[in-house]
Structures are given as C-alpha cells and as structure tokens.
Amino acid sequence: MALHEIDWCSLEIPEEWEFSQDEDDVIVIEDEDGVSCIEIFPPVILEEGEVSEADVAEFTEELRESGLRGARVRVGGWQGELYEHEDGEHHWREWFLRQGKCFVQIACHCAAEHAGMDDAAVDEILATLEPHAD
C-alpha cells in the first residue's frame, strides 16, 4: 500500500491501483486491469459545527427522488449513506459520507457485467480515507 497525502486528507492505495488528481481536484483511483474507477470529489468542509445527517440527506435528495434507497454505512471513521444503481452500461456505488466538519462524495463505477468484482478492494481503500485535522 502506498500512502497518498492530499491537501485535505490521506489515503492508502494498493500497488495495483493508480492514483491521480484531475484539474477539478477530483481524486481518481483506477485498478490496473481497468475494471473499476473510484472518484473522490473535493470535500465540503464547514467552518463551524459538524456535518449532520440532515446535511447528508440534502446531498442525496435527488437520488431518493429518483426512487433509489440508500443504506446507512460506516467507512473507516466516516458515516453516511451508500447508493447502488445501474445506468444501463455501468454499475455505480455512491457514498455520501461525513466525519466531523467534513463531507465527501465518492463514486465508484465499473461495467455492469463486472458489478461486485472489486467491491472488497474498493472498500479496503476507502476505509483508509482520513481527513486532516485542523
């Protein structure tokens, strides 16, 4: 595992996965065989207070209105909701997570026929995501 330090967090990535950050500061992590791609979007960091369940509900409102149901999850020190769905071509897993004053959205997608193939590896990677202390 290789530790990656980003301005707002740290994350451990297995050697067989590639780490990059695009021009919009989205963290992109892809496995070497091209099956799965994880995208970690820039966080929302509150100046005061902590991110609440109500805040997470605001971020997930559109998904719920489209008929999807989220599952409550814990990912490392984070808590929030996970939504799984398909768009015809791709299988998606989308996390909406909060920890203290930090909120982050993470999406993982793969071809629909590969659904579930990298779930354990993705879960292991995300469990290492730690926001930097203020």
Side-chain angles (χ1 to χ4, degrees):
M1 297 278 258
L3 179 65
H4 292 269
E5 293 285 343
I6 302 102
D7 60 349
W8 66 274
C9 72
S10 63
L11 184 66
E12 292 183 37
I13 310 294
E15 298 301 324
E16 64 273 9
W17 290 70
E18 289 187 26
F19 175 94
S20 63
Q21 201 164 1
D22 72 14
E23 64 275 355
D24 295 322
D25 289 329
V26 175
I27 297 167
V28 179
I29 305 163
E30 296 179 278
D31 66 339
E32 66 185 3
D33 58 6
V35 172
S36 297
C37 178
I38 304 167
E39 297 171 302
I40 303 174
F41 298 93
V44 173
I45 300 174
L46 300 180
E47 289 187 28
E48 294 183 13
E50 294 191 348
V51 178
S52 68
E53 281 187 41
D55 295 325
V56 173
E58 265 186 65
F59 285 106
T60 60
E61 184 174 4
E62 190 176 310
L63 290 170
R64 289 191 321 278
E65 286 178 352
S66 73
L68 295 176
R69 295 187 145 235
R72 289 185 185 263
V73 293
R74 284 194 163 284
V75 177
W78 302 82
Q79 57 185 327
E81 296 181 10
L82 168 63
Y83 290 80
E84 292 193 56
H85 57 95
E86 291 193 9
D87 64 10
E89 287 183 46
H90 295 95
H91 177 79
W92 291 86
R93 295 172 75 205
E94 295 185 79
W95 293 261
F96 298 83
L97 303 172
R98 65 186 177 95
Q99 183 176 156
K101 60 179 170 173
C102 189
F103 168 83
V104 67
Q105 179 183 356
I106 302 168
C108 180
H109 59 88
C110 64
E113 64 266 17
H114 297 297
M117 184 180 290
D118 286 334
D119 285 1
V122 170
D123 293 347
E124 184 179 319
I125 291 168
L126 296 184
T128 70
L129 180 67
E130 285 298 324
H132 291 174
D134 306 303

